Structure formats: structure tokens, C-alpha cells
Amino acid sequence: MLQSYSNPEVEGIYEQVYANYMQQLVKAYQAGARNFVLIDTPNVQDSPMQLAQDGTRDVLERALGLWNGKLADLAADFQSKDPDVMATVFSSYKVFTRMYANSNEAGGSSGLKFWYDSLHPSSPVHEAVARSLAVHLRGIECT
């Protein structure tokens, strides 16, 4: 996704990817899976790597919005095809955005060092995402 976001035909590329994604979900369903948790792409437009590239932050933010929106549409479409399916989307994007705003790198006061390197989040960020995912899953009724 990160290599395609600046392509003017990004929406067409995403359509192809999501058609394949749907095929993979169907295969998992045919193998017996009924409960699906899809995790969207986190906010990486504020990563040091991305911020070092002039003029790409807003393009990536738009692409991530498009990508994550299509993921939500995919989950809803997949779930609507069979009453036995439970499909939910967990938003790592929202967790990243909230945590980054309070991090040292963003001038926040949390004391959190958000980035491990120029693209990857630190261990405390991974732990917080895992805790948020656990809370999300506790609120879901599986089939």
C-alpha cells in the first residue's frame, strides 16, 4: 500500500487488492471460519520516515483514509452475505492517532516515545494497541 499511495490510479489498485482480499475471506469461510477481525492500517503519515519526504504526508493520509474505508466496506459486505458471519474492523489508525497526539514526538506530555525507528512503533505502542484490541473484542458477540 505504501508504494501505491501516490499512484494516480490508486483507487483501481485498491479495488484489485480488495477483490483478492474478499476471495481470501471466502476461502477462510469455506474452511470453517465464521468470526473475522480485520485490522485497518495505522496512522503512519506522521512517522519520521514519512515526514522526511516533502509533500507526501497529505497524499498518504488521503490514501490511508481510502484504504481503511474500503476495509470497512469489505467487512460489511462480507458479513451481509451470510448470517453465520461476524466481521468487524478494529481501527489501529484511531489508536495510533490518539496515542501519537500525546507522545513526545508530537509535543505531548505522556512521556511516550512513539517511534522505535523511522517507521515502526515502539513496544509500548504495540502493547496499547493490543489492549485496545482486547477491549474491542470483548464487546463483540461471535457467531
Side-chain angles (χ1 to χ4, degrees):
M1 208 257 318
L2 289 175
Q3 296 175 348
S4 65
Y5 71 88
S6 61
N7 186 317
E9 297 180 18
V10 67
E11 292 186 44
I13 293 168
Y14 290 178
E15 292 298 328
Q16 292 172 2
V17 171
Y18 275 103
N20 185 281
Y21 205 158
M22 179 64 89
Q23 291 172 355
Q24 300 308 311
L25 292 172
V26 168
K27 285 181 183 179
Y29 177 85
Q30 291 169 342
R34 295 296 181 265
N35 300 297
F36 299 82
V37 177
L38 310 179
I39 302 175
D40 69 7
T41 302
N43 170 351
V44 293
Q45 71 261 18
D46 291 319
S47 68
M49 180 183 82
Q50 203 58 44
L51 293 175
Q53 299 178 30
D54 290 337
T56 62
R57 185 197 181 282
D58 292 342
V59 174
L60 180 56
E61 184 175 30
R62 180 188 164 281
L64 287 171
L66 179 65
W67 178 266
N68 290 341
K70 287 190 179 299
L71 184 68
D73 292 346
L74 175 78
D77 184 41
F78 183 59
Q79 183 166 310
S80 74
K81 293 184 184 308
D82 193 306
D84 291 344
V85 169
M86 185 290 303
T88 184
V89 175
F90 171 73
S91 182
S92 65
Y93 187 96
K94 288 179 184 175
V95 176
F96 263 55
T97 300
R98 183 183 68 245
M99 289 186 69
Y100 181 73
N102 294 317
S103 70
N104 291 348
E105 290 91 338
S109 59
S110 69
L112 172 68
K113 181 180 181 318
F114 193 90
W115 299 106
Y116 171 75
D117 61 18
S118 67
L119 179 62
H120 300 95
S122 65
S123 292
V125 174
H126 283 281
E127 291 170 13
V129 170
R131 282 192 304 274
S132 294
L133 177 57
V135 168
H136 178 82
L137 292 175
R138 277 189 221 113
I140 294 173
E141 187 174 320
C142 295
T143 60

